[in-house]
Every structure is written in structure tokens, then in C-alpha cells.
Amino acid sequence: MTSSSRSLTEIQRRIDEVRRFLATTLSIANAHTVEFYTHGVWERFTAVPPEEVLSAVGSCGDRQGAPEHRAKENSGTTFGFCNATNRLIDIHELLHAAKAHSLPGLGVCMSRDEILQALRENSENPGTELEPEEFMNCKKSHEVQSMSEVVACLAQRCGVKQVIDVGSGKGYLSSFLSLQYGLQVYGIDSSSTNTHGAQERNRKLKKFSKAYQKHSKAVKAQKEAPHSPQEELVKIKPGMNQDEDVSCGDAAGVVSHEEEKVLNSLSGINPVEEMQSNPETDELFLSALSVDVIQDTPPRVPPVQLSAEERERRKRENLERKARNRTDSASTLFSPLTSYVTAETELRELIDELEDAVMVGLHTCGDLAPSTLRMFVAKAELAAVCSVGCCYHLLSEEFDPAGQERLGGMCGFPLSQYLRNQSLFCGRNARMSACLALERVSLGQGIQMESLFYRAVLHVILRDHYSAFKSEKRVGNVYSKAKSFVDYVRRALRRLELDELKLSDDDIQEYHDAYRPRMGEMHAFNMLKVALAPCIEGLLLLDRLCYLKEQEDLSFSALVQLFDPLLSPRCYAVVGLKSCKDRTSS
């Protein structure tokens, strides 16, 4: 496997390019929508009509060649901003530059197929690709399926059998890694509710594997038996004919009522509609389970035909088997743990049986994602890492000028020494903008503009009639409960503990009617934020990649697009392998 897809020098050069672009444009992303009208945000940053912005954003995919030409002609601009006034005068130049400074435009990412091919050099495929829709929704299924194969390849590449899933949540990824790839997974989450839910899910998945083992035998018996399909169907359906010889139920593949309920709850089967077994579906479910989970059950003789000594022997064997099963379940299914982890967390204090492992995180929030990378670098027992972060607005920043986000200890941004040496600051509003999903917005899955408009006009009312428009109290989510703008304002005033009788309904409505024609300005401005979102996200992720490339003992590090951004907007993973653990590296 090659040492890396991009060198440290090249990543630093790409970071510099994004920084130069954001030095001109970041002020738009940091502008607060609440203050849109009170601070005259549109007039302050732009000198083009909102209709032109909306039209350009909507058609930017059809005009890829024009922006570059206009940028060369218009030497008085920088990325579309007038050098004299610092206001936007060329939207096409800005959109072209934004696209060029996103991760796809910079050309620094590997695809999922590329990293799988690289990891599988001189190694076997750890397993076949499955469809886990039976256990989770479409988005989560896509994420788990895409990420688990990469994690399994990392584990095989490093020769390890353990995985530590940080911020494991409900345990979707952990369960699938264990069941499909036979990995021993420790899921760590700070929420005891999530941990308990994961334990319950573990219990159901264990019953699921047992039930489908029996269900598969039933299908096999149906195929081999000389009876007609209708007669055999009666035999294998629980409760259909109580006169059958149920003492041979296990041999015939009878599924108990309790197990049937587990199957229905996990796979979404309607027992009324699904009256016939589907061999293809059965095979799909069975193939999703680890070999260690599925255990063949030998044919059983009816108890009435056994001697007393034989019955006693079988009882003893059953007890021993149950004891083994309890031990096996601890190693086969994942172990959920409740703990708040940071870069300083001693993993061996949480996990007694810890061996060399791969550390993973699927949509770890805020500082947890950079903490995962710090742990990977600091802990000798961690051979590889695959981290997908989210919730950038929850990151703490080391160089916040106001010191508001510095809570002591290590901050989430910047992570690399390269950007720490430059004391780089991004800003919470900009990081919030980085969470916007350009691909979804481009397809019409847009921002809820009316709620933003209501809040901005409320701020005007607070400025004009109250002295608390800079209050630290938050309005909160009153929009979802409001029936109209007037109702929204009154609910907000009560939440802020202000005198709502100071204004009549007509007074409030006048504000709405006065600013409604300018709602397009807010819409256009937010679309500018959406266009800048991939660039800000790119800076945050390049910082993390740069951090890994600064480490001397890593044999490989890369940014990888794991997911379809339409299904999962936070689609990039930071992947790293240590030299001492990459036992098959070339």
C-alpha cells in the first residue's frame, strides 16, 4: 500500500488556497441571520439584486465555463468581491471560486472504491456486501454498509479483531460489524439511554439469529419433504396445527411465537401478509450473520424415548451450552459501554480485554471527532482510525478572540500544528454554515426560510420597542407551535419575559408586511452561505488530515468520501493507519 495519496506539503498548500478564499468570503458565513435586517446585512455585503443571486445559484451547474472568463476580465475583483468596497458584485465568479475550493474541486479526496482497492492489495475480501435495510432506515443503512466494509478491510489489513466505536449511539454500526464481519466491537457512548438501547438491540439480534436459523431449516425441510407444499407449510407454521408432533419441532424447524415476534420487529414483516417463506430473503438474512453466531442444532429425539441417564446427560449438556453461549455472546456481539471519552481517556481502564484495535466513529459530534484522532495518535494499541465527524458548530476553537468557546484543555479546532501556528479562527456562525447540505438544497430540499424570516423581523421589533434585543435569553423553537406571525411574536415575548401588551396585533402585523417584500434578500443571502458551506467544511477536514500527516509513525492517511451526499451530507471520513500496525504494507 502506498504511503499516502497526498503529501503533507500538498495538503498544506491546499489549506492555504482555501484560507485565501475564505479570508475574502468568511464574513458572509459568519453573519448572523437574526441580525439580517437590524444590521443591514444584505446592503453591507452585496451590491447585486437578490434575484440575480438566486438565478445564478440555481443555474450554476449550466455555466461552468463563464465564471472563469469573467474573473479574468474583471481585475478589480477578488472572488467576485469589489476590491474597493468589499461588496459582492460578481456572483458567477464567487460561485466558480467556491466550487474550486471545495473538497471535490481541490482533488484531495479518495473515493470509497479507491481505498477499498488499496486496502485489499495482497489481501482477501473480508466479506460480501450486504443490504441491512431490515434493521434500519435507508440513510443509516447506506452509512453502515458503506463504512463497515472499509472498517473491516482496515481491521484485516492491520491483523486485528477488535473495533472501538466511539459515540456508538444506538449501535447500528457496531452490530453490523460484529454480525457481518465477526469483529469484537466495543461501543462507547456518553448516553446511558443509548447504551441501554444498544443492549436491548443486542438481545433481539441474538434471538434474531437463532430464529432465522430455525426458519432456514424449515425452508430446507419444506424443499426435501415428499408432502405437498400446502401440507408442509402447515407443519412449519407455529400455531397453525396443534395436533402436529411438536416434540420434533426443532428438527422440523418450528419458530416459536416469541422468536416470530422478534423477526417481525427487526425485519418489519407483517405476519398477516407474509404467510409464505421466501428462500431468497432467508438466505439474505442468514448471510448477514457471522458464522460464530449461527450454530447448527443436531436432530433431537423425543424426550419420551430417552432413558433417565440420557435425559440427565442432555440436561447437563444444555446447562453447559447455555454457559458457553453467554460467553460467546459477549465476544461475538458488541459490548456497549457508557463513558464520556476525551483524548486523555485511558481505554484499557474501560476495556479489560482490549487488544490492538481499529477506532471508528460514525458522525461523532463536535470535539469528539478530533478527540478520536488524538486518541488514535496517542494510543499504541490503536492500529487504524476511520472517523466521520458532524455538528461542526459544536467544535470548540482555541483562538476564539472572545474566549467564549475555550473551556480549558484541548480544543477541537485547529487540530494540526500547521494551523495552530497561524492561530486560525473560523467562527461559530461559519461552522454552523458548514453544516448546510449543498447537494440537498440544490435539489429543492431547502432551508426553512419562513422561520428565519420570523426571527429576523422579531429582532427588529425587539430593537424598536424593547431594550432586550441583545438579551442572553433565547427565543427557542416557538415557530413550530405558532399559528401566525403575530402568534409567533407573542410566544417569543412571553419566552423572553417581556410585556406583550405593549404592542397590538396590528402593530406586529405591520412589521411582517413591511419586511415581507425583502424576504428574497434573506433567501439569497442564505443561498450564498450554502454555496460556501463545502469550503468551510473542507478547511475543517483538511486540518484533521494535516494533523495525521504531521505524525511520523503513520503509513497512510487520507480523506475518503464514504457516502452519497444526498443521503448523508456529512460524507467524508478521515482514515489513518500506523506503520507499526500495517503488517502487510509494501
Side-chain angles (χ1 to χ4, degrees), residues 171-220:
Y172 291 113
L173 177 64
S174 299
S175 297
F176 196 75
L177 283 169
S178 179
L179 290 173
Q180 165 59 11
Y181 296 103
L183 294 168
Q184 184 177 5
V185 186
Y186 297 96
I188 305 176
D189 197 274
S190 61
S191 169
S192 59
T193 301
N194 282 341
T195 301
H196 294 155
Q199 289 171 335
E200 177 63 15
R201 185 175 184 81
N202 249 353
R203 184 185 67 81
K204 290 184 177 181
L205 285 172
K206 192 69 173 178
K207 287 189 176 182
F208 165 81
S209 63
K210 180 180 178 183
Y212 260 101
Q213 179 190 3
K214 292 184 178 181
H215 194 50
S216 178
K217 289 181 180 180
V219 174
K220 184 178 180 181

Side-chain angles (χ1 to χ4, degrees), residues 326-359:
R326 282 193 294 269
T327 303
D328 291 343
S329 65
S331 60
T332 302
L333 296 179
F334 85 101
S335 304
L337 307 169
T338 301
S339 177
Y340 182 83
V341 295
T342 65
E344 294 83 11
T345 299
E346 288 296 333
L347 297 175
R348 295 193 182 277
E349 294 180 2
L350 293 177
I351 306 170
D352 295 333
E353 305 85 1
L354 180 63
E355 302 172 358
D356 289 351
V358 176
M359 174 162 278

Side-chain angles (χ1 to χ4, degrees), residues 442-462:
S442 299
L443 289 183
Q445 302 176 26
I447 306 169
Q448 176 55 260
M449 287 305 308
E450 188 173 62
S451 63
L452 298 176
F453 172 71
Y454 277 16
R455 183 62 185 88
V457 178
L458 171 66
H459 208 60
V460 178
I461 294 175
L462 295 176

Side-chain angles (χ1 to χ4, degrees), residues 212-249:
Y212 260 101
Q213 179 190 3
K214 292 184 178 181
H215 194 50
S216 178
K217 289 181 180 180
V219 174
K220 184 178 180 181
Q222 179 181 354
K223 291 180 178 179
E224 296 177 352
H227 306 83
S228 67
Q230 289 79 7
E231 292 173 335
E232 195 61 33
L233 189 61
V234 172
K235 279 189 179 182
I236 67 173
K237 286 196 174 297
M240 292 290 291
N241 188 343
Q242 297 300 328
D243 294 331
E244 294 291 338
D245 183 7
V246 294
S247 63
C248 298

